[in-house]
Amino acid sequence: MVVAGYPVIYFKNYDYMRLFNGDFIRRSNAGHYLGVYEKIITVDTETFVYMNKNIGFVTDWTITIEDDCCIYGNHVSDLIDTIDRICTTLYADDSHLVRFYVHNFPYDYVFLRNHFFQKWGNPDKSLAAKTHKYIFMKWTGQGIEFRDSLILTQRSLEKLCKDMGTTEKAVGTWDYKKFRTPASPRTAKEIAYVCTDTISLCKALRKYIDQRGFNVANCPLTNTGFIRTNARRRARKDKKWRKKFVQMALTLEQYDQMIDCYHGGYTHANRYYVNQLIKEPVECYDFVSSYIAWMCYCKFPMTRFCYTNNITLKDIMELKEDYAFSGYIRLKNLRLKKDCPMPPLSFSKAKVCVFPEPKDKKGKKKKTKKEQFRENLDNGKIVNADLVIYPFTDPDLEVILSSYDYEWADVSKVMRATKDYLPEWFTDYLMELFFKKCTLKGLDEANYMISKGELNGMYGMTVQRIIQILCTELMESGEWEAKEPEDREKELEKFYKNKNSFMPYQWGVWITAYAQAYLFRLGSCCRRWLYSDTDSVKGTDWDHDKLDEFNRSIIEMSQKRNIGVVEYKEKTFRLGIAEFDGIYSEFITMGSKRYCYRLKKDASLHLTVAGVPKDGVYCLNDDITNFRKGFIFKNNLTFRRNYRRVNDWQDPKWKMKTEYIFHEGINEVTVDGCKIEYGCAIRLSETEYELDHTIPYDKETGLPLPFEIEDNVYR
């Protein structure tokens, strides 16, 4: 059988001498020679898990070796032996590495972990982005490494193949609910389906890596690794940058203060209109590349921070154009202004927050903390407080002081650094990527997607924490623990001494602060501000004269800096402009990350609900009034029918609930006369999401729980 140009060979019939058609690529590794096998090798498994038993096992597996063949088998022990023999044949060791790519490695790993450990022992090197989310795993002595290609590409296999224009992933020919054992008969279509997964991944990965100018040996672990590598190369061309970077080093105390000040994107719904259907036109405006714009237009801390005694809030407001300030602001009798529907202060970020004593209608004190929180918090944002101590950067102060009334305010633990624009090597790279994004769309989709991904990743690179939280699996029990290194001071020193380090963490803190400040300025152009998510404002009764004035101020910033504009084919693209993004004829929100709208131009219904796929809109049966408290999104018959009718009768995709099943060692079970080895497993089951317009509270403490949004593999 030949699938997509690759012969399919049963594992017992594979001639391992064919591996010598590839060679090892040299890669320097801190003075130690390291060669990596040059061919892309991809691995995939198909599994079955009993719904009523804690047993799951591998039923099929494939290994595709680039420009060679696809090796096929069924039993998990045969897969492990085949991988081992590939490495043995190539004489893999601590100086000669064979790399295996698995798309969504954390899933396959669970089924394979016990078999890995029995064959090669515990891995001596591994890295997990979060619990249960391995990025790579390595057995140095055996020269074996597994990597997750999903976190590298940030795309599902289906989308990766489509973007790369290579062999498409097979869809719809494998029934995941059908009971199979490794010995069950397979149709030719089923075998072709299994093989196509690794073949299509192999082809798409090669194109994905080549387009970025890398090879198997120097390919980074994650998508941001491409961006970081390219940015680092540019930084090194500036001979003065390394010295400048070291001079800007943070102390541990300053770093912790920066962690306090970082607040990410602002996402919130106007509490006065939650659960209300808005039928008048809702206009939407989005910033053109918000984070990138403020990197190009604004000034950032560019010298070492030093603590400043006896400085007042008034001093900071007068000096903030020339100096970057960070500290803690204390506000007494804080009350959100009546004309401000969007409170900027997050309860979770406050160092101290004392709420007014809750009272009933008769003036008596209420008993429950829960009522106290509900009266003074708006979906996790502070509305009223007797006392608040809150971390700030100077761009935050404008938003805080204009949004609240207060009795008095003062500041403490203030540190300052001289402000300046970001270096040219950085802003030139931003503009190069922005130029490609503006000019390549529709002409060169591959390079357009690369530039768009890198442009978005430039911000992500700036906010990667210096001291990483280490997620470690306890191999004996399968449990996980997440904690920072014990010697945090040493980790910080290690970062600044590392010649590969080049990105100041404080830049990322100021980027999000500027983004929130400009978002609130844009929101003030709207008389009824309904909803915002990081770089967008949705509302009614826009003051278009004020909006035009706001955009003129952005143009003036761009002209002053002589940056941020791309002219192409009689079109002008400018960073930071608030650009019209459509009108909704109907809109309703239940709170942060929970809203539904109907586009005026084509009357199509759309939704954004954390934890629910975009396709979940078909659960509403094209009726926005169904989007209400208590509505349950689930993969039911009505949803599937609605989806298929408008999606060429394709089956919908739905988020699945994950249940980890742990077993020690290798176990055996005989099913239909087939002897099956099994270890740990993952059971996937359909999920439901009940819509609500309030944030959940902890039953014991009465404190609001953090609002969980959909996991993002981007790192």
Side-chain angles (χ1 to χ4, degrees), residues 192-210:
Y193 172 91
V194 176
C195 295
T196 302
D197 273 3
T198 50
I199 294 171
S200 61
L201 175 60
C202 187
K203 291 182 176 181
L205 264 185
R206 171 53 69 191
K207 192 169 183 180
Y208 186 87
I209 294 171
D210 284 352

Short mmCIF file of all heavy atoms in Angstrom, two decimals, residues 192-210:
data_model
loop_
_atom_site.label_atom_id
_atom_site.label_comp_id
_atom_site.label_asym_id
_atom_site.label_seq_id
_atom_site.Cartn_x
_atom_site.Cartn_y
_atom_site.Cartn_z
N ALA A 192 -5.13 3.43 5.97
CA ALA A 192 -4.70 4.65 5.28
C ALA A 192 -4.90 5.87 6.16
O ALA A 192 -4.07 6.79 6.19
CB ALA A 192 -5.46 4.81 3.97
N TYR A 193 -6.00 5.89 6.93
CA TYR A 193 -6.28 7.01 7.83
C TYR A 193 -5.17 7.14 8.88
O TYR A 193 -4.64 8.23 9.12
CB TYR A 193 -7.62 6.81 8.53
CG TYR A 193 -7.89 7.83 9.62
CD1 TYR A 193 -8.56 9.01 9.33
CD2 TYR A 193 -7.47 7.61 10.93
CE1 TYR A 193 -8.80 9.95 10.31
CE2 TYR A 193 -7.70 8.56 11.92
CZ TYR A 193 -8.37 9.72 11.60
OH TYR A 193 -8.59 10.65 12.58
N VAL A 194 -4.83 6.03 9.51
CA VAL A 194 -3.81 6.04 10.56
C VAL A 194 -2.47 6.50 9.99
O VAL A 194 -1.76 7.31 10.60
CB VAL A 194 -3.67 4.64 11.19
CG1 VAL A 194 -2.55 4.62 12.21
CG2 VAL A 194 -4.98 4.23 11.84
N CYS A 195 -2.12 6.01 8.81
CA CYS A 195 -0.83 6.36 8.21
C CYS A 195 -0.79 7.82 7.76
O CYS A 195 0.26 8.47 7.85
CB CYS A 195 -0.55 5.44 7.02
SG CYS A 195 -0.33 3.70 7.47
N THR A 196 -1.93 8.32 7.28
CA THR A 196 -1.96 9.69 6.77
C THR A 196 -1.62 10.70 7.85
O THR A 196 -1.01 11.74 7.58
CB THR A 196 -3.34 10.01 6.16
OG1 THR A 196 -3.62 9.08 5.13
CG2 THR A 196 -3.37 11.42 5.59
N ASP A 197 -1.96 10.42 9.10
CA ASP A 197 -1.67 11.36 10.18
C ASP A 197 -0.18 11.67 10.29
O ASP A 197 0.23 12.84 10.34
CB ASP A 197 -2.18 10.81 11.52
CG ASP A 197 -3.63 11.18 11.77
OD1 ASP A 197 -4.24 11.80 10.88
OD2 ASP A 197 -4.16 10.83 12.83
N THR A 198 0.65 10.64 10.34
CA THR A 198 2.09 10.88 10.48
C THR A 198 2.74 11.33 9.17
O THR A 198 3.69 12.10 9.18
CB THR A 198 2.82 9.63 11.01
OG1 THR A 198 2.44 8.50 10.22
CG2 THR A 198 2.48 9.38 12.46
N ILE A 199 2.21 10.85 8.05
CA ILE A 199 2.76 11.29 6.75
C ILE A 199 2.48 12.77 6.53
O ILE A 199 3.37 13.54 6.15
CB ILE A 199 2.15 10.45 5.60
CG1 ILE A 199 2.60 8.99 5.71
CG2 ILE A 199 2.55 11.03 4.24
CD1 ILE A 199 1.90 8.05 4.75
N SER A 200 1.25 13.19 6.78
CA SER A 200 0.90 14.60 6.58
C SER A 200 1.65 15.49 7.56
O SER A 200 2.09 16.58 7.20
CB SER A 200 -0.62 14.79 6.74
OG SER A 200 -1.05 14.42 8.03
N LEU A 201 1.83 15.02 8.80
CA LEU A 201 2.59 15.80 9.78
C LEU A 201 4.05 15.93 9.34
O LEU A 201 4.64 17.01 9.45
CB LEU A 201 2.51 15.14 11.15
CG LEU A 201 3.36 15.79 12.26
CD1 LEU A 201 2.95 17.25 12.48
CD2 LEU A 201 3.25 15.00 13.56
N CYS A 202 4.62 14.85 8.84
CA CYS A 202 6.02 14.85 8.40
C CYS A 202 6.23 15.88 7.29
O CYS A 202 7.16 16.69 7.33
CB CYS A 202 6.41 13.45 7.93
SG CYS A 202 8.15 13.27 7.54
N LYS A 203 5.35 15.88 6.30
CA LYS A 203 5.48 16.81 5.18
C LYS A 203 5.27 18.25 5.61
O LYS A 203 6.01 19.15 5.22
CB LYS A 203 4.47 16.44 4.08
CG LYS A 203 4.76 15.13 3.36
CD LYS A 203 3.73 14.89 2.26
CE LYS A 203 4.03 13.65 1.45
NZ LYS A 203 3.03 13.43 0.37
N ALA A 204 4.23 18.48 6.43
CA ALA A 204 3.92 19.84 6.86
C ALA A 204 5.01 20.40 7.76
O ALA A 204 5.36 21.58 7.66
CB ALA A 204 2.56 19.85 7.57
N LEU A 205 5.55 19.56 8.65
CA LEU A 205 6.62 20.02 9.55
C LEU A 205 7.86 20.44 8.77
O LEU A 205 8.50 21.44 9.11
CB LEU A 205 6.98 18.91 10.54
CG LEU A 205 6.34 18.94 11.91
CD1 LEU A 205 6.93 17.83 12.78
CD2 LEU A 205 6.53 20.28 12.59
N ARG A 206 8.21 19.66 7.75
CA ARG A 206 9.38 20.00 6.96
C ARG A 206 9.21 21.38 6.33
O ARG A 206 10.11 22.23 6.39
CB ARG A 206 9.61 18.95 5.87
CG ARG A 206 10.67 19.32 4.83
CD ARG A 206 12.00 19.72 5.47
NE ARG A 206 12.66 18.60 6.10
CZ ARG A 206 13.71 18.70 6.90
NH1 ARG A 206 14.21 19.90 7.19
NH2 ARG A 206 14.27 17.64 7.44
N LYS A 207 8.05 21.64 5.76
CA LYS A 207 7.82 22.94 5.13
C LYS A 207 7.77 24.04 6.16
O LYS A 207 8.31 25.14 5.95
CB LYS A 207 6.51 22.89 4.33
CG LYS A 207 6.32 24.08 3.40
CD LYS A 207 5.17 23.86 2.44
CE LYS A 207 5.05 25.04 1.48
NZ LYS A 207 3.92 24.85 0.53
N TYR A 208 7.15 23.76 7.30
CA TYR A 208 7.02 24.76 8.36
C TYR A 208 8.38 25.18 8.89
O TYR A 208 8.65 26.37 9.08
CB TYR A 208 6.18 24.16 9.50
CG TYR A 208 5.83 25.12 10.61
CD1 TYR A 208 4.70 25.94 10.51
CD2 TYR A 208 6.62 25.22 11.74
CE1 TYR A 208 4.38 26.82 11.54
CE2 TYR A 208 6.30 26.11 12.77
CZ TYR A 208 5.18 26.90 12.66
OH TYR A 208 4.86 27.78 13.66
N ILE A 209 9.26 24.22 9.10
CA ILE A 209 10.60 24.51 9.63
C ILE A 209 11.47 25.19 8.58
O ILE A 209 12.17 26.16 8.86
CB ILE A 209 11.26 23.21 10.14
CG1 ILE A 209 10.50 22.67 11.36
CG2 ILE A 209 12.71 23.45 10.51
CD1 ILE A 209 10.94 21.28 11.80
N ASP A 210 11.41 24.68 7.33
CA ASP A 210 12.23 25.24 6.25
C ASP A 210 11.87 26.70 5.98
O ASP A 210 12.75 27.54 5.74
CB ASP A 210 12.06 24.44 4.97
CG ASP A 210 12.81 23.12 5.00
OD1 ASP A 210 13.59 22.90 5.96
OD2 ASP A 210 12.62 22.30 4.08
#
